Amino acid sequence: MSRLVAVAPVVPDHVYAQAEITAEIGPLLAPSPARRALLDRFHGASGVRTRHFALPLEKYAALTSFDQGNDLFISIGAELAERALRTALDAAGLEPSDVDFVLFTSVTGISAPSIDSLLVERVGLRRDVKRLPSFGLGCVAGAAGLARVHDYLVGHPHDVAVLLSVELCSLTIQHGDDSTANLVSSGLFGDGAAAVVMVGAERAREADASAGGVPVGVDVVGTRSAVYADSAATLGWDIGGSGFRIVLGAGLADVVEEHLAGDVAALLDAHGLAHADVGSWVGHAGGPRILEAAQRALGLADGALDRSWSSLARRGNLSSASVLHVLADTLADGAPSPGEPAVLFAFGPGVSAELVLLRGAGTENPSC
C-alpha cells in the first residue's frame, strides 16, 4: 500500500473560449475554406468550452519551428512544474528536502537535463533525490505515473515520492497541417501540469499517529497495466523536422470499449471487489468519444463521469495531466469516502491503458 496525500493541478494564465481559439488557430492550420469548415465542426463538437494556453493566443502565428516550441516548453514547463510542486508539498505539510523520489512525465517536449533536474536548484530538492524522467506514455502517463510511484513506495515504505506531469500541447502546433487528425486534436488539447505527493505505508502510519490516529488522503491499493494488440498506429506522434505531428486514429474509442470492462473486472477481482463496490470513477478526459466509450463499456449510470466531462469542458484534454486534474476535482468533492474504493483509468499510445485502484483512507479493508 502507498498513500496519496496531495494533488496540485495548475494551468497557464492565458485562458480562452473555444470560439476564440478556433478563430485564431483555424487559419494557421486550414486555409482552405472546405477544411476550415471541417475544423470549425470538429472544434464545436469537442466538448471543450475553454482552454489554457502557454502563450497569448496571438503569439502562435509566429511559432513556426520545433526549436522555438521546445525552448518555450522548457522555460514555461519548468515554471509550471515548480508552481505545482511547491503547492503540492505545502498542501501535504512537507518540505522539498523531504522528497526522496521524483517521477517526471511529459510527451509534449524534450530536454536534457530534464525539467525535474532543474527543480533541484529552483525548489531546493536534496542533491541525492532519486529521479526518473519519462517520455512516450502520452495521455496514459498520469495514471501510469501514479502506478509506478506506488510500486516504488511499496519497496520504500518510509519514503516520500512525487509525480510531476507537464504538458504544453499548444506548443506542438503544426502550421498548414489540415489532416483530419490535426483538425480534431487542435480543438481538443490544452496546456496544464500537476504534482502528486505520495508516501509509503510506514510514513503514512507515522503521519496518522502524529495526527491523533485520523488518516488523511487516499490509499493506492492496486494497479493494472495493458497494451492492446494491433493498435500501435491508433495514437501517438509522428516526430520529424517540424516537431510533433499527431497520430490519431478513428478506432481509439472502439479499442477502449472492447477492453476496458475486462481490465477493470480483473483489477477489482484481484482485490476481492466487484463493480458495484466502486463509489467513484476517475476517468481521463480524453474527449467525448472516449468518455462515451468508457461509460458504455463499464455500464455506468449517467453522471458517473461528470467530473471528467467537466474537466474536458473547462480545460480540454491535458494529456498526462488530465486524469490528475480529474483526480484533484474528485478529492475536492470529498470522494472517495473512508474505506470506499475508486478506480482511476487512462489510455495512451500503444494503445495502452493503466488502471489504479484507490481507497479512501480511514477504514481498513482486508480484501484490498
Side-chain angles (χ1 to χ4, degrees):
M1 187 273 288
S2 65
R3 182 170 297 169
L4 188 158
V5 293
V7 183
V10 300
V11 288
D13 294 333
H14 309 294
V15 59
Y16 301 98
Q18 181 78 326
E20 294 179 86
I21 297 170
T22 303
E24 187 76 26
I25 299 297
L28 305 179
L29 308 183
S32 156
R35 298 303 286 177
R36 174 63 190 278
L38 187 60
L39 177 145
D40 291 348
R41 182 158 63 86
F42 287 147
H43 281 214
S46 66
V48 177
R49 293 196 306 267
T50 57
R51 284 183 281 169
H52 294 255
F53 277 7
L55 302 176
L57 200 51
E58 66 273 12
K59 298 290 187 181
Y60 287 89
L63 187 60
T64 56
S65 74
F66 173 65
D67 289 354
Q68 290 173 287
N70 201 63
D71 286 347
L72 289 165
F73 167 81
I74 297 169
S75 60
I76 298 172
E79 293 172 2
L80 288 174
E82 179 179 356
R83 193 200 320 170
L85 178 55
R86 290 187 183 278
T87 303
L89 289 173
D90 285 347
L94 295 169
E95 299 295 330
S97 58
D98 292 321
V99 177
D100 300 291
F101 174 71
V102 177
L103 193 158
F104 172 78
T105 189
S106 182
V107 76
T108 51
I110 53 176
S111 65
S114 53
I115 283 177
D116 52 289
S117 71
L118 304 179
L119 300 183
V120 174
E121 291 281 358
R122 294 177 65 149
V123 178
L125 299 173
R126 295 199 318 265
R127 295 288 179 180
D128 66 345
V129 66
K130 295 181 280 288
R131 300 181 298 108
L132 183 62
S134 166
F135 177 88
L137 285 169
C139 295
V140 79
L146 290 176
R148 302 294 78 82
V149 172
H150 166 73
D151 292 345
Y152 169 84
L153 289 171
V154 168
H156 300 81
H158 292 278
D159 279 12
V160 174
V162 172
L163 168 64
L164 272 174
S165 162
V166 175
E167 300 290 11
L168 303 182
C169 304
S170 71
L171 299 180
T172 68
I173 185 172
Q174 297 289 300
H175 288 254
D177 179 4
D178 66 356
S179 65
T180 298
N182 197 45
L183 299 186
V184 170
S185 66
S186 70
L188 186 60
F189 288 92
D191 296 346
V196 181
V197 178
M198 297 170 62
V199 299
E202 292 302 323
R203 184 83 178 219
R205 290 189 184 97
E206 292 166 6
D208 292 349
S210 64
V214 181
V216 176
V218 174
D219 291 335
V220 180
V221 295
T223 70
R224 181 176 174 85
S225 306
V227 179
Y228 304 130
D230 303 319
S231 63
T234 303
L235 179 64
W237 290 125
D238 180 7
I239 301 176
S242 64
F244 299 100
R245 183 173 179 174
I246 192 74
V247 175
L248 184 63
L252 179 58
D254 295 333
V255 174
V256 171
E257 189 164 358
E258 179 181 356
H259 295 286
L260 179 59
D263 286 325
V264 168
L267 174 64
L268 294 174
D269 184 65
H271 295 275
L273 297 170
H275 188 284
D277 296 318
V278 179
S280 301
W281 299 89
V282 185
H284 163 58
R289 293 192 65 208
I290 300 301
L291 291 175
E292 290 165 358
Q295 181 173 350
R296 287 193 301 269
L298 296 172
L300 299 179
D302 290 344
L305 296 176
D306 274 359
R307 296 184 188 96
S308 300
W309 283 102
S310 176
S311 184
L312 178 67
R314 290 180 286 127
R315 310 171 182 121
N317 180 345
L318 303 180
S319 191
S320 68
S322 174
V323 76
L324 304 179
H325 279 241
V326 178
L327 175 61
D329 292 343
T330 303
L331 300 180
D333 288 341
S337 59
E340 179 184 68
V343 172
L344 179 147
F345 59 88
F347 312 97
V351 169
S352 59
E354 196 79 33
L355 288 74
V356 181
L357 179 60
L358 307 171
R359 184 185 65 223
T363 301
E364 291 296 329
N365 184 342
S367 65
C368 293

